[in-house]
């Protein structure tokens, strides 16, 4: 068994002989097997154990067992206590997801603090099969059918070459004790239902089900590499990055093989889901349509999709003595006496205003529907929405526009045009200069 794991580590290039490894050990059969094999192969290991306090005395029993195991094998032990239930409630997560977030965050923290090269997790072949079936049930793309990856950043999984049966055989052969998690038999958890009920049902149909599925997962991993390579080549043709925007040529995507899938792959990194991706593709010829993800906004215009960071609706007051302001954009403020030495700088990033006409505090905010101003050089008011159309601004650019107000009056569309009512005249005594 050790040789099988050793070959797996070499084939997948998971570890180097000189690596320091943080081994995640719960005390269960899988993690005890992992720690024992890595130590037997001569790797420099330290053990990490999480007490999630979800099973009362049983959780404390596990901690004592792992502490004794580490001491028996003269291995440094890292331990942590988590208030998992409180964390789950605070972050609106399931207990499973809360425990996952807590442990992986902590594993990475102690890895960095102890200059370790990687974190070893005891996932095995059966776990990968369960992940495949769970993702298949929920609905997923090809990547979700690739099972558990052998390596992901600093996480390595040396036991993915072994089945649960092989692990139990190894423990028995080496007279290794382990602790049982009583919740593993409870079907209230999704994974346990697959482990205890669904996979055994498949094995009644095909006794070699897990081995067959493992081969299928390997094929899908290879297929996914080909798929991602194709997506990357399409992206090089259709994606144009113009900071702070990204533009995607939707018409070129429509010429590709399986354009809806290509569209989804292009957009998922920005947080758009499959339904939004399909709608964006269907509306590719329309203009003015907005789509929102958590951190991004996308807009269509004549076959081009523009993606930008979603502009949060922010507002901040600027007192009369302020010298610098941050609110989506950064402004520097300077007071100037209007005398013969003053020279006006012609730059859209600079605005000049008659101080005596201003009402403090000023307000910097994002624009709203119905906003209007009197553009410099004009005596009549203009809606900002019409001004933006005249400037041929994209929807994404409009979403990022900030305005400066004095009382209820808009005095500047930052970086574009000041208001004529607040311009400098020969009667101006004090000037407020604002620079983006």
């Amino acid at each position: 068994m050790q040789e099988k794991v050793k070959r797996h580590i070499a084939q997948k290039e998971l570890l180097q002989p000189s690596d320091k490894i943080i081994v995640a050990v719960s005390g269960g059969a899988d993690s005890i097997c992992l720690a024992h094999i890595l130590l037997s192969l001569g790797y420099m290991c330290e053990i990490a154990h999480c007490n999630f306090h979800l099973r009362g005395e049983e959780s404390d029993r596990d901690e004592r067992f792992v502490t004794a195991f580490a001491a028996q094998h003269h291995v440094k032990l890292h331990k942590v206590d988590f208030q998992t239930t409180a964390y789950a409630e605070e972050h609106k997560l399931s207990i499973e997801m809360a425990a996952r977030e807590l442990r992986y965050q902590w594993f990475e923290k102690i890895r960095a603090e102890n200059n370790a090269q990687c974190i070893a997790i005891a996932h095995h072949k059966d776990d990968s099969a369960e992940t495949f079936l769970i993702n298949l049930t929920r609905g997923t793309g090809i990547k979700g059918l690739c099972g558990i990856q052998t390596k992901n950043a600093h996480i390595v999984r040396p036991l993915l070459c072994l089945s649960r049966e092989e692990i139990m055989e190894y423990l028995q052969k080496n007279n290794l004790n382990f602790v049982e998690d009583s919740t593993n038999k409870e079907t209230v958890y999704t994974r346990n239902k697959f482990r205890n009920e669904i996979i055994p049902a498949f094995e009644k149909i095909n006794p070699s089900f897990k081995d067959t599925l493992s081969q299928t997962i390997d094929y899908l991993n290879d297929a996914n590499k080909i798929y991602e390579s194709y997506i990357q080549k399409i992206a090089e043709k259709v994606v144009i990055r113009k900071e702070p925007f990204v533009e995607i040529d939707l018409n070129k995507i429509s010429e590709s093989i399986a354009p809806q899938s290509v569209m989804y792959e292009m957009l998922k990194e920005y947080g758009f889901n499959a339904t939004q991706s399909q709608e964006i593709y269907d509306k590719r010829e329309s203009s003015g349509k907005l789509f929102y993800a958590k951190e991004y906004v996308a807009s269509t215009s004549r076959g081009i999709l523009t993606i930008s960071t979603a502009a949060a609706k922010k507002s901040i007051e600027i007192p009369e003595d302020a010298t610098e302001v941050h609110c989506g954009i950064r402004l520097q403020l300077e007071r100037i006496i209007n005398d013969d030495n003053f020279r006006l700088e012609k730059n859209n990033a600079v605005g000049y205003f008659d101080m005596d006409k201003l009402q403090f505090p000023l307000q910097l905010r994002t624009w709203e529907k119905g906003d209007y101003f009197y553009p410099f050089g004009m005596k009549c008011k203009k809606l900002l929405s019409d001004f933006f159309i005249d400037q041929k601004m994209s929807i994404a650019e409009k979403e990022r526009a900030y305005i400066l107000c004095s009382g209820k009056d808009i005095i500047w569309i930052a970086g574009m045009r000041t208001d004529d009512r607040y311009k400098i005249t020969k009667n101006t005594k004090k000037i407020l200069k604002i620079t983006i």
Side-chain angles (χ1 to χ4, degrees), residues 348 352-353 371-391 404 409-414 416-424:
N348 284 338
Y352 295 93
F353 308 94
D371 280 339
Y372 66 88
F373 77 131
Y374 289 75
F376 185 86
M378 298 175 60
K379 300 302 179 184
C380 57
K381 68 181 181 182
K382 193 177 188 73
L383 286 168
L384 263 63
S385 56
D386 292 336
F387 176 77
F388 292 152
I389 291 172
D390 293 343
Q391 299 299 310
L404 186 65
D409 293 341
I410 294 174
I411 65 173
W412 192 25
I413 304 176
M416 300 188 70
R417 186 80 71 89
T418 56
D419 187 286
D420 192 76
R421 294 167 295 176
Y422 292 84
K423 67 184 179 184
I424 298 167

Side-chain angles (χ1 to χ4, degrees), residues 56-92:
E57 167 57 25
E58 194 174 286
S59 292
D60 296 332
R61 176 211 64 184
D62 294 353
E63 181 179 329
R64 291 193 297 270
F65 179 84
V66 174
T67 301
F69 178 87
Q72 178 186 352
H73 292 85
H74 308 289
V75 178
K76 182 177 179 180
L77 173 64
H78 305 273
K79 296 191 295 184
V80 68
D81 293 277
F82 290 125
Q83 301 306 315
T84 314
T85 302
Y87 183 89
E89 291 174 355
E90 180 184 351
H91 293 85
K92 296 180 172 58

